[in-house]
Amino acid sequence: FLKISKLALAFAIIHSKPSGKSCKEYTEHLAKIVSEQDFGWKSKVEALEAEVLRLRQELLLNKICPRFCLENDASAKTLLDQECINPMSYSSQLEDSGCDVSNDYAFDSLGIASDFHQYEHNVDTSKRWLERVPPLNLCCTSKEESLTAPVQFLQHLLEIRKLSEGGILQADFTELENDSFTVCNSVSQLLDGLTVFYNSPKFPVSNFLSEAVCVLTSLITDNKLSNHVLKKCFKKLEEFKKNLIQIILRNSSVNRFQALHAVSNALVLLGRSNILRNSLISLLLSEVRQFAEHLLQAHQVLSSF
């Protein structure tokens, strides 16, 4: 049947071929049209899947706590908007040879730590709740904005968790048992997005990436929310940590130190979680051990001469 179909297609192409164009050229032209149509359908499917996930996120939040609204000046969307409106000067990053990062305030470890504590402070001080959850943005115009949906959703969960602990509102987290897929899918989407960014970082490196890692760490550290994530996303989290380590080890470009410092800060933020710390240290020590073995082998080869 396949051979007959191919033969019929070949005859159809030959008979419909316009004058002045060879069969090969016409076939390549038709193949290009079909591939463009496939790409268009793929984009539509991805957009619809994203919209379905957004609706599931809103539905789950409303089931957990119908009367909740996030009021957080440092939310993912606000932070990203502020950086777009008032971008900081990173001329030294763009021109740096990679040999000096002493003046790089954007990647200062104390700054990253303060970002983490500021995020926790914002969660603690947010105390207003209204009729509905604000819509989560998926109309993205940049790669960074594509991460705002999962980050905002996870921020909402953490916010509800904090407010319910303080007795400010009532929340039913048993709904997570019925729809853990939405949480896990959001975490998976966030990890994929962060991996893409850290693989090919662009200057200026946005503070939004640190914010996203802080949200991820807070989610995993939370004793009520982490179980739903770790059940299905633990392997993906391990792969994410391995990828970050490999990014540091593989990058051999001259101007690599600024980007690698951002990646290492992400590892530091992940290490704040007691759940992730031990496995992260094991991965790092494993790389050190392998490097030591390679050095020993090289020494043995040289000693033979």
Side-chain angles (χ1 to χ4, degrees), residues 263-282:
V263 179
S264 66
N265 278 329
L267 289 172
V268 170
L269 291 174
L270 290 172
R272 293 180 185 276
S273 169
N274 294 329
I275 297 172
L276 300 179
R277 185 182 301 140
N278 290 339
S279 62
L280 180 58
I281 292 174
S282 297

Side-chain angles (χ1 to χ4, degrees), residues 176-301:
L176 291 176
E177 298 289 347
N178 302 325
D179 192 10
S180 61
F181 166 83
T182 300
V183 180
C184 294
N185 206 4
S186 300
V187 172
S188 179
Q189 188 183 57
L190 178 57
L191 291 173
D192 288 339
L194 288 172
T195 301
V196 171
F197 278 114
Y198 284 120
N199 265 308
S200 55
K202 294 181 179 180
F203 294 106
V205 177
S206 173
N207 288 333
F208 174 64
L209 297 181
S210 298
E211 173 82 2
V213 177
C214 286
V215 170
L216 181 64
T217 305
S218 298
L219 180 73
I220 295 168
T221 305
D222 189 284
N223 55 4
K224 277 194 175 180
L225 300 177
S226 62
N227 291 334
H228 303 282
V229 176
L230 294 175
K231 284 178 183 177
K232 296 183 179 179
C233 297
F234 186 77
K235 288 185 178 179
K236 188 132 192 172
L237 282 165
E238 291 296 296
E239 286 300 316
F240 176 64
K241 290 184 290 184
K242 289 179 183 178
N243 286 334
L244 291 183
I245 294 172
Q246 289 304 314
I247 289 170
I248 294 176
L249 296 177
R250 287 197 311 264
N251 196 322
S252 59
S253 63
V254 175
N255 296 291
R256 66 186 180 276
F257 294 100
Q258 307 264 3
L260 296 188
H261 200 67
V263 179
S264 66
N265 278 329
L267 289 172
V268 170
L269 291 174
L270 290 172
R272 293 180 185 276
S273 169
N274 294 329
I275 297 172
L276 300 179
R277 185 182 301 140
N278 290 339
S279 62
L280 180 58
I281 292 174
S282 297
L283 288 172
L284 292 170
L285 290 177
S286 175
E287 294 294 340
V288 173
R289 187 183 70 250
Q290 290 181 29
F291 182 63
E293 290 173 353
H294 290 156
L295 285 178
L296 178 61
Q297 292 173 5
H299 173 70
Q300 291 171 346
V301 170

Side-chain angles (χ1 to χ4, degrees), residues 48-155:
L48 290 173
E49 288 176 343
E51 178 65 13
V52 168
L53 179 60
R54 183 188 70 80
L55 293 173
R56 289 184 69 123
Q57 288 170 343
E58 287 196 13
L59 180 62
L60 179 58
L61 289 173
N62 279 296
K63 284 182 178 179
I64 293 173
C65 185
R67 297 174 60 83
F68 171 79
C69 179
L70 183 68
E71 185 184 77
N72 189 347
D73 293 334
S75 67
K77 183 67 177 129
T78 305
L79 178 63
L80 194 58
D81 288 342
Q82 287 174 350
E83 290 188 351
C84 292
I85 296 170
N86 300 309
M88 291 185 289
S89 174
Y90 288 83
S91 58
S92 61
Q93 291 183 8
L94 298 174
E95 299 170 3
D96 183 58
S97 64
C99 298
D100 184 10
V101 293
S102 58
N103 295 323
D104 183 16
Y105 65 88
F107 296 129
D108 181 69
S109 58
L110 293 176
I112 295 297
S114 65
D115 288 344
F116 183 82
H117 294 304
Q118 179 63 32
Y119 167 73
E120 289 189 330
H121 173 73
N122 286 330
V123 169
D124 289 332
T125 56
S126 177
K127 295 182 178 180
R128 294 190 61 189
W129 43 282
L130 301 174
E131 290 291 334
R132 57 186 292 274
V133 176
L136 303 176
N137 178 36
L138 275 171
C139 301
C140 306
T141 58
S142 71
K143 288 183 178 180
E144 279 161 339
E145 288 183 350
S146 67
L147 292 179
T148 59
V151 171
Q152 283 182 332
F153 169 66
L154 298 176
Q155 278 181 328

